[in-house]
Amino acid sequence: MRLPGPPREPSTEVRHGARALILSATGDPRAPYRDGVALHGMLPGSRLLTLRGANQHGLYGTYGNACVDDAVNAYLADGRLPEADLTCTKA
């Protein structure tokens, strides 16, 4: 759905080397997993944290998966990404 009128603020520019931690659930009903994988592919400096078997959009701090929460907490604490992409499984 597109909102009427011009955007209220300028677009946010994200550089391709952004060191982002991308969370994506394989069964996310709002943001399909393939979109998370595609975003990760567009940001070579990123890491993908996959939660397999979860059919939910909100993951960090709400889903209750220690693997996800621990990985995000570590990233937020020091800004360092995991050495490689991570996969967690639904508990």
Side-chain angles (χ1 to χ4, degrees), residues 51-77:
L51 180 57
R52 293 207 181 281
N55 297 324
Q56 182 169 323
H57 181 67
L59 300 178
Y60 173 66
T62 60
Y63 188 74
N65 184 281
C67 177
V68 169
D69 291 348
D70 290 349
V72 174
N73 285 336
Y75 171 68
L76 294 175

Side-chain angles (χ1 to χ4, degrees), residues 3-91:
L3 299 175
R8 293 184 180 179
E9 60 185 46
S11 298
T12 301
E13 182 179 329
V14 177
R15 293 188 174 100
H16 293 289
R19 300 186 47 78
L21 181 62
I22 300 166
L23 277 64
S24 191
T26 56
D28 188 329
R30 293 187 188 150
Y33 180 69
R34 68 179 178 272
D35 292 351
V37 172
L39 177 61
H40 177 46
M42 290 186 278
L43 300 173
S46 69
R47 293 290 182 266
L48 178 62
L49 173 54
T50 299
L51 180 57
R52 293 207 181 281
N55 297 324
Q56 182 169 323
H57 181 67
L59 300 178
Y60 173 66
T62 60
Y63 188 74
N65 184 281
C67 177
V68 169
D69 291 348
D70 290 349
V72 174
N73 285 336
Y75 171 68
L76 294 175
D78 61 22
R80 286 188 228 156
L81 289 169
E83 291 294 320
D85 294 341
L86 300 172
T87 299
C88 300
T89 55
K90 180 181 165 184

